[in-house]
Amino acid sequence: MTIPTSLITLVLGMVLVLGGLWVGQNVNLLPVDASSNAPVYDALFQVLFSIGTILFVGVTGLLIFSLVRFRRLPGDRGDGLAIEGNLPLEILWTAIPAVVVLFVGIYSYDIYERMGGMTPLNGHEAMHGDVSSVMLAEHQHQGGDALAAPALLHEGADNSATLLADDPGEAQAERVWGGISTASGDALPVELTAMQFAFIFHYPDSSITSGELHVPVGRPVQLRMEARDVIHAFWVPQFRLKQDVIPGQPTVMSFTPTRPGTYPIVCAELCGPYHGGMRTNVVVHEQEAFEAWIHQNAPAAPSTVALAAAPPTG
């Protein structure tokens, strides 16, 4: 008994689809997920990986089958069959890619919108950073003289005033991109300054300036980013986040870390000859460990410093 070709094609198609779905759900090519954004992006990647597997195996298998089945046999010098067209087949191979592309486009747009990627440029008061501390950190990073720090701080104060107002006494609101995954609730504000070739993080609530990003697990983090020189990019693969950091255009990006650990921060935008070395880490602490880090690194209050420096009285 001869098995109908249509039945064989149907069975092979079902096996191909089920195999592609299994590969997409069980073969993980991504790094560990460490933020609340990651599962959403990973779900999209699994769908795209399944579709890609089905298309790759299907097209490659069909090509190999055609090369073997319809090869020219020894002594065969005749012409091939005169096939003018097959309307049902043409409709099929046009409809399937159209449906796949439409589905992927709508699904990708939905994910991007949920992550805040479609947030329009909006005018609101941005989180103005402590410019003086950032300039001091940059000065120290470049090996500057500590004696020049007071003048540098004075210059930073002048620059801060320039950022906040065009005219004396007149505040000017910055226009900030909505960024990805806008945080809500008790978000931890952190200000990021990117420069050749380092990331500087400033915590306005505790006046800490650090070369690493330290955050507590489970708490939203609102990262205000701006570059000092050229375009950089903030990329944490484990968070599934990558955002350009642009000179003169503050960008606000929010995320919630979900897994304690130390993860690399990489500049993903070519920014100069030492671009490959522009790396640091984000350290995700448990809440108690993060509070201890804040306590250890927070600068002492001026009154405390003066009291400690005062000579003991008899």
Side-chain angles (χ1 to χ4, degrees):
M1 183 180 67
T2 303
I3 301 177
T5 304
S6 58
L7 181 59
I8 296 177
T9 304
L10 178 62
V11 172
L12 290 177
M14 293 178 61
V15 171
L16 179 62
V17 171
L18 293 176
L21 293 175
W22 184 90
V23 169
Q25 296 296 320
N26 294 276
V27 178
N28 185 19
L29 302 179
L30 299 174
V32 62
D33 60 310
S35 79
S36 58
N37 290 340
V40 180
Y41 288 112
D42 291 356
L44 174 61
F45 178 81
Q46 289 174 344
V47 171
L48 297 178
F49 192 32
S50 296
I51 294 174
T53 300
I54 294 171
L55 292 177
F56 176 78
V57 175
V59 172
T60 304
L62 183 60
L63 286 175
I64 295 175
F65 170 78
S66 300
L67 289 173
V68 175
R69 175 66 178 81
F70 302 108
R71 70 188 186 279
R72 182 188 292 271
L73 298 176
D76 184 3
R77 298 183 178 277
D79 295 332
L81 295 177
I83 300 176
E84 295 183 0
N86 188 319
L87 183 59
L89 184 60
E90 293 174 1
I91 293 176
L92 182 65
W93 74 43
T94 302
I96 291 179
V99 171
V100 170
V101 170
L102 184 62
F103 168 76
V104 170
I106 294 175
Y107 187 23
S108 301
Y109 179 86
D110 177 66
I111 297 291
Y112 192 56
E113 186 177 27
R114 286 163 59 188
M115 293 297 102
M118 299 305 296
T119 303
L121 190 65
N122 51 72
H124 61 82
E125 291 188 1
M127 298 181 297
H128 294 286
D130 187 344
V131 179
S132 301
S133 61
V134 172
M135 293 184 66
L136 179 58
E138 180 184 2
H139 179 72
Q140 294 173 346
H141 173 74
Q142 296 176 350
D145 188 356
L147 297 177
L152 187 65
L153 292 176
H154 179 72
E155 179 186 350
D158 293 341
N159 289 341
S160 178
T162 303
L163 284 174
L164 292 174
D166 285 337
D167 299 322
E170 180 182 353
Q172 180 184 11
E174 289 180 331
R175 296 177 66 81
V176 182
W177 287 103
I180 299 177
S181 181
T182 303
S184 59
D186 185 25
L188 173 69
V190 182
E191 297 161 355
L192 163 63
T193 300
M195 65 189 74
Q196 294 174 318
F197 297 93
F199 294 105
I200 302 297
F201 301 94
H202 177 69
Y203 296 76
D205 290 347
S206 55
S207 300
I208 295 176
T209 300
S210 172
E212 288 186 332
L213 177 60
H214 291 256
V215 295
V217 66
R219 180 180 177 184
V221 178
Q222 189 173 64
L223 196 62
R224 179 188 182 275
M225 307 182 294
E226 189 169 5
R228 294 293 300 274
D229 35 43
V230 298
I231 298 178
H232 301 276
F234 176 87
W235 179 36
V236 183
Q238 288 77 8
F239 289 176
R240 313 294 192 264
L241 293 177
K242 185 167 77 72
Q243 183 73 30
D244 284 348
V245 187
I246 305 172
Q249 176 59 71
T251 304
V252 176
M253 182 177 70
S254 302
F255 60 90
T256 302
T258 57
R259 189 188 300 267
T262 301
Y263 310 106
I265 299 175
V266 182
C267 177
E269 189 74 28
L270 183 61
C271 58
Y274 298 102
H275 161 72
M278 188 169 172
R279 293 169 174 262
T280 185
N281 294 313
V282 51
V283 182
V284 182
H285 300 275
E286 296 288 354
Q287 182 61 37
E288 296 79 8
F290 177 73
E291 292 175 357
W293 180 84
I294 291 289
H295 179 73
Q296 293 173 1
N297 291 274
S303 57
T304 305
V305 175
L307 183 61
T313 58

